[in-house]
């Protein structure tokens, strides 16, 4: 840890839904330097809705009690214009989680409007260089809505999180090959953070060997794919609550790689398509990406086989349907 006079200028980091389950895990990772670096102080700007404000007060008390050297200020508010003011990085976590009685279209209808107001506030008050990650579901379409309502911010600064799905894929491969997760590289997610997603193993490696040589095709296109795609539901069934610590960890990984670079590794990020791989322009779609100097570059030249193409097509269709359902929210 650096002492104070070696430190950089603080950055402003906004987190919405800060008193929720993911917020409770995420804030401690940001505050400890896991995301923006051990020499990067942060000012935390935390947004809740009025019914969450008392819980947020408690979270802020606990953050103070953690005495993090990197936390140079904190504000808790129910006003997006305060939370996003001059923000350099924004985690859009707050939204209504899906309950057993809701299908995906209910979720889109319940959460879409939140991202209209938040997009407008980002447009009005955030740093023009802000980096936005959307975690709240349906995260691809929520990112699309926020982006469409923030016309002064370049679209590539709006992303949605598929890193949890990638990390789940890494976890499954590591367990099956009986190696630590650090030995698995370059497995990534195509498409939507929903059960249509495709965890692509074709360019992945396991201790330097091709994953497609280490694992049989039946497992890769069967149990592996199904386990990753339905893991969220399995966690809800086992824990009685949706993934929280693993989601916070994935959000930390996503923003860390964007901010500090992915060291040449392929990582999964959903971002507005510029037509890569035939994905219609503007759809927020998860692609293989690399990050360097604060920029995301889509790896746009990987070969696509018939199976991958069918999965990409399935995700395009699902995301076009979601986009159609929120067309009146797109400005
Ligand atoms: P919680 O219900 O624990 O917390 C959500 C918090 O958001 C609550 O405190 C609520 O008061 C607040 N909130 C609601 N509307 C808000 C608004 N308009 N502005 C600010 N705050 C608002 O849910 P949690 O478990 O933290 O999950 C948050 C979101 O992440 C959900 O939408 C969930 O579906 C989504 N997830 C996304 C994942 C991904 O991989 N992209 C995985 C995990 C998670 O399911």
């Amino acid at each position: 840890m650096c002492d104070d006079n070696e430190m950089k200028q603080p950055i402003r980091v906004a987190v919405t839904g800060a008193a929720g389950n993911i917020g409770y895990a995420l804030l401690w990772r940001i505050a400890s330097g896991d995301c923006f670096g051990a020499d990067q102080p942060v000012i935390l700007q935390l947004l809740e809705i009025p019914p969450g404000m008392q819980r947020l007060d408690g979270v802020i008390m606990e953050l103070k009690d953690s005495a993090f050297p990197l936390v140079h200020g904190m504000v808790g508010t129910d006003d997006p214009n305060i939370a996003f003011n001059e923000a350099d990085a924004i985690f859009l976590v707050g939204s209504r989680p899906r309950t057993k009685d809701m299908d995906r279209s209910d979720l889109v209808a319940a959460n879409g409007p939140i991202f209209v107001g938040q997009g407008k506030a980002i447009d009005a008050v955030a740093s023009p260089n802000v980096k936005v990650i959307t975690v709240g579901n349906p995260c691809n379409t929520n990112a699309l809505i926020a982006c469409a309502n923030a016309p002064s911010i370049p679209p590539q600064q709006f992303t949605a999180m598929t890193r949890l799905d990638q990390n789940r894929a890494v976890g499954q491969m590591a367990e099956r090959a009986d190696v630590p997760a650090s030995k698995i590289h370059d497995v990534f997610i195509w498409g939507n953070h929903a059960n249509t997603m495709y965890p692509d193993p074709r360019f992945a490696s396991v201790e330097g060997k091709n994953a497609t040589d280490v694992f049989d095709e039946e497992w890769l296109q069967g149990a592996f794919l199904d386990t990753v795609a339905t893991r969220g539901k399995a966690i809800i069934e086992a824990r009685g609550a949706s993934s929280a610590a693993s989601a916070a960890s994935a959000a930390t990984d996503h923003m860390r790689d964007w901010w500090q670079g992915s060291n040449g590794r392929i990582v999964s990020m959903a971002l507005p398509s510029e037509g890569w791989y035939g994905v219609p322009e503007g759809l927020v779609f998860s692609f293989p990406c690399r990050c360097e100097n604060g920029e995301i570059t889509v790896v746009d030249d990987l070969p696509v086989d018939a199976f991958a193409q069918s999965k990409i097509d399935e995700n395009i269709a699902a995301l076009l349907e979601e986009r159609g359902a929120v067309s009146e929210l797109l400005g």
Side-chain angles (χ1 to χ4, degrees), residues 17 20-22 48-49 55 93-95 97 114 118 135 137 161 193:
N21 284 309
I22 295 175
E48 262 296 341
I49 46 176
R55 278 181 290 120
V93 181
S95 60
I114 295 174
Q118 294 188 352
V135 175
N137 279 322
M161 182 169 97
H193 170 68

Side-chain angles (χ1 to χ4, degrees), residues 96 98-112 138:
R96 204 175 135 192
R98 185 167 170 179
T99 46
K100 280 183 185 154
D101 54 326
M102 287 170 98
D103 65 20
R104 212 168 164 82
S105 60
D106 297 328
L107 193 66
V108 174
N111 285 326

